[in-house]
């Protein structure tokens, strides 16, 4: 089965050099996905010298395999988050995600990034009565924390039981966003290298050295923005690796389907659907069928199930793109962002499943988190 993500097909191009020789910097960021480029953007506004190294092309990792939805709620449901934290923390998470979502919108405007960013409504529905409870729980919790989730009366191309909505969320072409932001920040004080792999990282008393095939980088600090940190770290024992899949389909006719749609179906299935429009084309995306890595007998069966769902619910003419991507679910549901260990010069940012909007906003000190397992309030350490 040929697989390619829709975002690779609608990507821009980048041509950052590869590193050839020894250099130094205040901070080296390993990984040019949304995490690395967002960190570089923030840091380069504050410090003299930032270097990003990306082993492939900027934005070409998991960031090019997502659905491209930005929302303040979380994928596994706010009630799931509430089962571990109090209302105050849930509100804090939502606030931070909202701030990050707005910051992305501001970047799009400020740097004129051509990435199809648009504000839209997020919808959550139950496909039938047996899933209504999940919707009711979200409404109840939204009421407790005064999040403006309301019952809806919209007509979808397929029947649903209950549906709720939250306005002012957003959608984006994630790869074009990362590429556009990288181009905007690439400068003397923020150097970006593609096709440059970190092969070894030395964490010394007062600095670090990152080795690449054709040169070394000496820096005060290193950030692992590699989705999961390189090498072995204890934090990896708190991350569950999952694969999730997506398909993008051409339709026989244009449909009105603005927004982010998540639907609960029987047997715990949840499907995420949206449309993407560019160059006068409209494509339907269906994302879902996650499983723990290594526990699916046939990965392709998951893609076929998404195709079946798409065909049963929409006027599909053809399935054009199919892909799968990996993400890491943090055991306590929040990302780990911070120092690798107490006195280390190395920082990590991982467990971002839920999801980019929390970048640099909802993460807590990774080292402290490992030792306290979610008991301490969040601090914004990075
Ligand atoms: C199917 C699916 C749907 C999703 N939908 C959404 C969504 O709708 N909204 C949302 O917010 N999130 C979504 N996500 C999650 C989101 O895609 C990830 O959280 C995000 O892309 C992680 O970004 P990252 O920059 O940390 O990792 P990546 O994008 O993977 O970037 C890490 C980079 O590090 C580079 N790298 C690795 N090792 C080295 C090395 N040794 N040297 C140099 N470079 C290296 C890689 O090449 C890569 O480019 C989805 C994920 C999947 C799989």
């Amino acid at each position: 089965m040929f697989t390619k993500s829709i975002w690779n097909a609608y990507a821009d191009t980048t041509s950052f050099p590869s590193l050839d020789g020894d250099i130094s910097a205040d901070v080296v960021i390993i990984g040019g996905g949304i995490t690395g480029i967002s960190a570089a953007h923030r840091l380069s506004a504050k410090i003299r010298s930032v270097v990003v190294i990306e082993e492939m092309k900027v934005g070409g990792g998991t960031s090019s395999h997502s659905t491209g939805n930005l929302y303040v709620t979380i994928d596994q449901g706010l009630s799931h988050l509430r089962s571990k934290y109090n209302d105050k923390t849930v509100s804090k998470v939502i606030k931070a995600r909202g701030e990050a979502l707005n910051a992305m919108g501001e970047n799009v405007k400020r740097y004129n990034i051509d990435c199809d960013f648009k504000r839209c409504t997020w919808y959550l529905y139950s496909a039938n009565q047996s899933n209504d409870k999940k919707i009711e729980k979200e409404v109840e919790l939204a009421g407790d924390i005064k999040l403006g989730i309301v019952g809806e009366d919209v007509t979808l191309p397929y029947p649903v039981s209950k549906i709720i909505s939250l306005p002012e969320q957003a959608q984006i072409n994630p790869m074009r966003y990362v590429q556009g932001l990288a181009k905007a920040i690439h400068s003397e004080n923020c150097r970006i290298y593609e096709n440059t792999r970190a092969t070894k990282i030395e964490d010394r008393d007062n600095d670090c050295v990152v080795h690449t095939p054709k040169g070394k980088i000496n820096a005060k600090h290193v950030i692992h923005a590699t989705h999961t940190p390189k090498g072995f770290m204890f934090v990896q024992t708190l991350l569950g690796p999952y694969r999730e899949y997506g398909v993008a389909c051409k339709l026989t006719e244009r449909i009105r389907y603005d927004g982010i749609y998540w639907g609960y179906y029987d047997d715990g299935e949840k499907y995420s659907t949206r449309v993407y429009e560019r160059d006068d084309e409209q494509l339907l995306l269906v994302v879902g069928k996650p499983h723990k890595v290594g526990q699916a007998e046939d990965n392709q069966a998951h893609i076929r199930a998404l195709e079946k769902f798409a065909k049963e619910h929409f006027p599909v003419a053809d399935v054009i793109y199919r892909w799968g991507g990996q993400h890491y679910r943090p055991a306590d549901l929040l990302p780990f962002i911070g120092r690798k260990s107490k006195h280390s010069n190395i920082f990590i940012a991982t467990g971002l499943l839920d999801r980019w909007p929390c970048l640099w906003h909802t993460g807590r000190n990774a080292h402290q988190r490992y030792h306290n397992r979610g008991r301490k309030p969040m601090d914004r350490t990075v």
Side-chain angles (χ1 to χ4, degrees):
M1 186 185 281
F2 174 70
T3 61
K4 175 177 179 172
S5 108
I6 178 175
W7 310 120
N8 279 295
Y10 285 90
D12 199 357
T13 51
T14 52
S15 52
F16 299 111
S18 60
L19 181 65
D20 194 354
D22 295 348
I23 58 169
S24 57
D26 293 324
V27 176
V28 180
I29 299 168
I30 306 170
I34 189 144
T35 306
I37 298 300
S38 303
H41 171 245
R42 292 222 156 183
L43 287 173
S44 58
K46 296 209 164 114
I47 59 175
R48 204 169 38 87
S49 171
V50 176
V51 163
V52 180
I53 56 169
E54 163 55 51
E55 74 171 321
M56 306 184 294
K57 299 293 276 180
V58 158
T62 309
S63 298
S64 65
H65 287 65
S66 95
T67 327
N69 289 329
L70 309 172
Y71 39 83
V72 301
T73 61
I74 71 158
D75 174 51
Q76 287 168 284
L78 290 177
S79 41
H80 195 43
L81 193 60
R82 182 66 181 83
S83 67
K84 281 197 188 275
Y85 301 99
N86 59 21
D87 284 349
K88 203 169 149 207
T89 301
V90 175
S91 299
K92 221 168 167 179
V93 169
I94 288 168
K95 180 165 175 278
R97 292 172 65 85
E99 283 169 6
L101 196 159
N102 291 337
M104 288 176 78
E106 279 158 25
N107 288 341
V108 171
K109 245 198 226 150
R110 178 171 169 200
Y111 302 115
N112 205 8
I113 303 175
D114 177 15
C115 63
D116 307 303
F117 177 93
K118 67 170 190 181
R119 290 284 178 175
C120 64
T121 300
W122 166 90
Y123 297 96
L124 181 71
Y125 64 83
S126 48
N128 50 38
Q129 284 180 352
S130 56
N131 284 287
D132 284 352
K133 265 254 152 330
K134 292 180 187 129
I135 306 293
E136 285 156 15
K137 264 175 143 179
E138 291 297 293
V139 173
E140 194 185 317
L141 176 60
D144 292 347
I145 59 171
K146 303 194 174 37
L147 179 66
I149 286 183
V150 291
E152 268 287 351
D153 190 17
V154 287
T155 309
L156 301 187
Y158 44 85
V160 300
S161 178
K162 283 200 167 163
I163 180 160
I164 54 176
S165 73
L166 184 64
E168 286 301 304
Q169 309 305 299
Q171 286 174 328
I172 205 163
N173 172 327
M175 188 142 177
R176 293 186 78 93
Y177 174 78
V178 178
Q179 292 174 317
L181 188 59
K183 285 182 189 174
I185 60 175
H186 184 51
S187 63
E188 270 291 293
N189 90 314
C190 184
R191 288 164 286 170
I192 300 174
Y193 297 96
E194 291 183 320
N195 301 309
T196 301
R197 178 177 160 77
T199 49
K200 184 176 153 193
I201 303 151
E202 289 178 70
D203 190 5
R204 307 192 301 199
D205 284 349
N206 298 312
D207 64 358
C208 305
V209 182
V210 177
H211 296 249
T212 76
K214 290 195 182 161
K216 286 185 283 199
I217 313 165
N218 191 287
K220 290 188 196 114
H221 300 289
V222 169
I223 300 178
H224 285 244
T226 46
H227 207 183
T228 45
K230 296 281 131 186
F232 175 74
M233 292 187 199
F234 281 118
V235 74
Q236 284 151 348
T237 63
L238 301 174
L239 296 170
Y242 284 79
R243 270 200 96 67
E244 193 170 359
Y245 301 86
V247 295
C249 316
K250 215 176 222 165
L251 301 173
T252 55
E253 61 195 87
R254 286 187 90 79
I255 56 168
R256 279 206 63 185
Y257 200 64
D258 282 341
I260 298 167
Y261 293 87
W262 292 352
Y264 286 119
Y265 289 76
D266 289 340
D267 301 324
E269 296 290 354
K270 179 163 161 264
Y271 293 90
S272 169
T273 49
R274 64 166 288 195
V275 292
Y276 177 62
E277 294 185 10
R278 192 172 175 92
D279 303 336
D280 268 344
E281 270 206 285
Q282 186 189 49
L283 291 173
L284 166 82
L285 273 75
V286 180
V287 172
K289 296 298 289 178
H291 62 84
K292 273 198 179 148
V293 172
Q295 293 191 5
E297 294 215 338
D298 173 8
N299 289 15
Q300 296 187 1
H302 291 247
I303 292 191
R304 285 195 297 273
L306 293 183
E307 292 180 16
K308 184 167 176 277
F309 177 89
K311 286 173 185 163
E312 281 170 1
H313 292 77
F314 298 90
V316 170
D318 203 0
V319 181
I320 313 283
Y321 304 107
R322 304 167 171 87
W323 68 96
Q326 198 148 311
H327 44 61
Y328 301 89
R329 288 191 177 156
D332 65 1
L333 307 178
L334 295 178
F336 290 93
I337 301 175
R339 261 182 220 279
K340 169 191 151 190
S341 58
K342 205 170 177 186
H343 300 293
S344 175
N345 298 311
I346 293 182
F347 290 76
I348 61 168
T350 190
L352 303 166
L353 167 73
D354 268 294
R355 291 226 200 179
W356 313 330
C358 34
L359 285 181
W360 315 111
H361 288 260
T362 55
R364 286 175 297 164
N365 183 295
H367 164 71
Q368 187 185 59
R369 289 267 302 296
Y370 178 72
H371 292 287
N372 296 304
R373 305 292 204 291
R375 269 175 240 127
K376 286 258 166 107
M378 289 185 290
D379 63 25
R380 298 180 187 178
T381 47
V382 179

